[in-house]
Amino acid sequence: IVKGEPASYEMLMRNETQIAFSSIRFVYFEDKSRLFNVDKDREYYLAPGSSHTVSTEIVAKYRGEYLVGAKAFVITDPFGIFRVECDIHSKMSVTVLPRIVEWTNTDIICDEEDEKKTVFQPDSRELDICVREYVKGDVLKKVHWKVSARTGKMFVRLDNGTEKGGVLLLPDFSPVRAEGDQRIAVEDSLIEQLLAMSSYCIGKKIPCRVTYFQNGIQECRLRN
């Protein structure tokens, strides 16, 4: 499931004994997830061989892998004398993916501004073909002879019409100096910003790479 997005959750309780249970109450995991429309104080009655299903939705608060939903149930005798808490063996474990949010600091990447500084734009008669100054190693057949003759310098054609600089993302995955939920929240924020920047670059067709340290230096070129 995805962090912050509701997902279906269903809990089936069944009495497979020959004893009727008049007071069953459930205890839920609540530190990293939240259930909708579930009365945590409700008590259920189960006759021998009967069952009951609870269908609702659950929302995960953080990305990661952890247990959600019901974790135990408490049985109280009809006279209210004793209570027994029993652990649920069939607990539900979920993998929660980070959400992809919109990146709001897009002014950091000024690719259009950089293009104006590095690319020579001929007039409209040149069919909007962009060129740059010749450097050693360029293929001679790409030389734009008209622009070169007009400027007195060697220029070559650009294949895509524009020359875009790439973006290199260097996330810091060192341990966060915080405890418990605060640490998880900070880590989530870092990952969300990384995904937001990556998604923005992909949407704008800006070449993008991520380099990080995890058992050595790792590099990933982002395409989708």
Side-chain angles (χ1 to χ4, degrees), residues 11 23 52 59 81 100 104 110 134 145 175:
M11 179 177 66
S23 177
H52 181 76
V59 169
I81 299 176
I100 299 180
T104 57
C110 302
Y134 175 87
W145 296 110

Side-chain angles (χ1 to χ4, degrees), residues 100-167:
I100 299 180
V101 298
E102 182 179 357
W103 191 37
T104 57
N105 301 317
T106 56
D107 56 329
I108 293 176
I109 301 179
C110 302
D111 54 317
E112 292 182 2
E113 214 171 278
D114 292 340
E115 286 172 14
K116 292 178 182 178
K117 295 178 182 177
T118 59
V119 177
F120 174 80
Q121 288 276 7
D123 57 35
S124 58
R125 291 175 295 178
E126 299 296 341
L127 302 176
D128 292 329
I129 297 175
C130 292
V131 298
R132 63 166 171 77
E133 196 168 345
Y134 175 87
V135 295
K136 186 177 179 180
D138 284 337
V139 181
L140 289 178
K141 67 179 181 179
K142 288 189 175 182
V143 172
H144 197 298
W145 296 110
K146 289 184 180 180
V147 174
S148 299
R150 190 170 71 234
T151 60
K153 295 181 180 181
M154 290 276 283
F155 282 87
V156 294
R157 299 171 184 267
L158 294 180
D159 294 334
N160 297 325
T162 60
E163 187 179 74
K164 283 195 173 183
V167 171

Side-chain angles (χ1 to χ4, degrees), residues 140-218:
L140 289 178
K141 67 179 181 179
K142 288 189 175 182
V143 172
H144 197 298
W145 296 110
K146 289 184 180 180
V147 174
S148 299
R150 190 170 71 234
T151 60
K153 295 181 180 181
M154 290 276 283
F155 282 87
V156 294
R157 299 171 184 267
L158 294 180
D159 294 334
N160 297 325
T162 60
E163 187 179 74
K164 283 195 173 183
V167 171
L168 175 62
L169 301 175
L170 299 169
D172 180 7
F173 290 143
S174 57
V176 175
R177 294 182 179 179
E179 298 295 332
D181 291 352
Q182 184 181 3
R183 176 182 60 80
I184 298 175
V186 172
E187 291 176 351
D188 273 12
S189 180
L190 291 171
I191 291 178
E192 284 180 2
Q193 287 300 304
L194 176 63
L195 288 174
M197 286 186 282
S198 305
S199 179
Y200 174 81
C201 291
I202 292 171
K204 294 291 185 179
K205 297 183 179 179
I206 299 173
C208 182
R209 291 180 296 124
V210 178
T211 299
Y212 59 96
F213 187 86
Q214 189 177 61
N215 299 322
I217 297 176
Q218 310 292 332

Side-chain angles (χ1 to χ4, degrees), residues 32-33 60-68 92-96:
K32 297 180 181 178
S33 61
K61 300 178 183 178
Y62 309 108
R63 63 96 183 92
E65 294 184 4
Y66 46 85
L67 298 172
V68 298
M92 178 178 289
S93 176
V94 293
T95 299
V96 184

